[in-house]
């Protein structure tokens, strides 16, 4: 049965968004376009965070909403939590903005 609390917007996305807490070890069947992908969560994934639908090699593009949102900074296996620890965002890191502004001053 397809998991309705994990969202994939475009068929070319290689990550999905968790609309509920996901626990490591859960098997998830996720609707992707007209098909399905089944993965095992390798880590806990918080609400609103991303999980890899497939293996994403270091340096490869992270695709969400059919658009590039950044690049993998390390190999990311299918089922892994995808977040600032393994992605260099196209949009910068808001959690580091104050530190960056201070360094530039």
């Amino acid at each position: 049965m397809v998991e309705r609390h994990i969202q994939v917007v475009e068929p070319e996305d290689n990550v999905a968004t968790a609309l509920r807490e996901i626990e490591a070890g859960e098997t998830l069947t996720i609707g992707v376009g007209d098909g399905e992908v089944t993965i095992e969560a390798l880590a806990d994934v918080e609400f609103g965070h991303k999980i890899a639908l497939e293996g994403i090699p270091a340096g490869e593009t992270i695709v969400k909403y059919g658009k590039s949102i950044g690049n993998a900074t390390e190999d990311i296996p299918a089922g892994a939590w995808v977040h600032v620890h393994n992605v260099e965002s196209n949009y910068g890191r808001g959690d580091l903005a104050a530190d960056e502004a201070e360094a530039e001053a």
Side-chain angles (χ1 to χ4, degrees):
M1 182 158 138
V2 172
E3 170 67 53
R4 63 187 184 102
H5 289 103
I6 302 176
Q7 183 69 48
V8 175
V9 176
E10 297 292 338
E12 59 270 17
D13 292 355
N14 57 11
V15 296
T17 302
L19 302 178
R20 67 169 177 83
E21 302 289 320
I22 298 172
E23 293 183 17
E26 281 189 65
T27 299
L28 307 164
T29 300
I30 303 164
V32 179
D34 293 331
E36 299 175 354
V37 172
T38 300
I39 57 174
E40 179 179 335
L42 302 179
D44 293 342
V45 179
E46 296 178 27
F47 175 88
H49 287 217
K50 297 171 293 301
I51 188 168
L53 296 171
E54 60 191 47
I56 306 169
E60 289 297 312
T61 301
I62 306 296
V63 180
K64 182 177 175 183
Y65 311 123
K67 308 274 187 222
S68 169
I69 62 166
N71 294 87
T73 57
E74 59 187 58
D75 290 341
I76 303 173
W81 174 39
V82 178
H83 199 53
V84 297
H85 66 285
N86 56 11
V87 176
E88 179 68 33
S89 173
N90 292 343
Y91 307 105
R93 286 189 48 186
D95 62 325
L96 298 179
D99 293 340
E100 291 170 0
E102 186 176 302
E104 291 175 4

